[in-house]
Amino acid sequence: MGKIIALANQKGGVGKTTTTINLAASLATLEKTVLVIDADPQANASSGLGVNIQEVDCSIYECIINKADVHEAIYTTDIEGLDIIPSHIDLVGAEIEMLNLNDRERVIKQMLVPIQAEYDYILIDCSPSLGLITVNALTAADSVIIPVQCEYFALEGISKLLNTIKIIKQKLNPRLEIEGFLLTMYDSRLRLANQIYDEVKRHFQELVFKTVIQRNVKLSESPSHGLPVILYDADSTGSKNHLALAKEIINKNK
């Protein structure tokens, strides 16, 4: 059965989508079969993996609201072994439409049942909020990766996210674990970045990934070309960081 990992942090701009795209591409490069689920209405993971949002007939929205066949929402990417269920701006209104559904916190979990065995890893890119779609993602997931930006307010809001995870664990998904805290946008020249790193390490100890995602121009440029950084510039720091992260996750889950 594929391992379902949600990438969540209600703070925007911490590198969730960048991590989702590039971790997925790195896992696929290491010969794992991977499905990305874009659960963010901004649909950046979809466009970042080369999906033309305008041409999508069946997205996660249709699967959640219209109960469309999940297989019809799966699109292939330029990387062999890497597929995606794209998002759509309509997802913004989905949370309100979902209020009337039975078992509304488990819609994504039910959606994944027919396809979970087809992949080694399923990565869910959550929106920067703790709304019903993110709750759905955490209810469906086996574990959660929490990207933390190496900036001044990095730890602000993490306690809120951890509290949400705790509630979901108690009430909806007892098997939910924290896969790890991932430090992103790290610049070793900045004293602040090192202070944040030390602080996160002190708080969360073994739960912090050894791999750190460094600030990298190629990593910022690649989404505008609809490519993960490993296809855009395989020798870049961003590419090497995400490959190291993928290896760390594979070793952890052996």
Side-chain angles (χ1 to χ4, degrees), residues 35-144:
L35 175 67
V36 169
I37 295 173
D38 191 349
D40 183 349
Q42 294 174 74
N44 291 338
S46 306
S47 55
L49 283 172
V51 175
N52 183 341
I53 314 297
Q54 266 65 50
E55 291 175 5
V56 168
D57 297 323
C58 188
S59 70
I60 184 171
Y61 174 82
E62 281 76 23
C63 294
I64 290 174
I65 302 301
N66 304 334
K67 297 282 180 281
D69 179 357
V70 68
H71 288 95
E72 289 181 18
I74 296 173
Y75 290 72
T76 55
T77 70
D78 289 339
I79 292 187
E80 194 180 337
L82 173 56
D83 295 340
I84 180 165
I85 294 180
S87 184
H88 194 277
I89 190 66
D90 288 351
L91 203 58
V92 170
E95 303 211 338
I96 296 174
E97 295 178 68
M98 287 167 79
L99 292 175
N100 300 323
L101 298 178
N102 289 334
D103 223 5
R104 59 177 179 252
E105 297 87 359
R106 292 188 174 85
V107 178
I108 289 180
K109 184 183 164 91
Q110 301 300 334
M111 179 185 102
L112 294 179
V113 170
I115 54 171
Q116 192 175 350
E118 294 171 25
Y119 295 94
D120 295 317
Y121 291 95
I122 296 176
L123 304 184
I124 308 177
D125 184 29
C126 299
S127 67
S129 78
L130 293 176
L132 189 50
I133 304 262
T134 300
V135 168
N136 258 269
L138 294 172
T139 303
D142 299 303
S143 66
V144 54

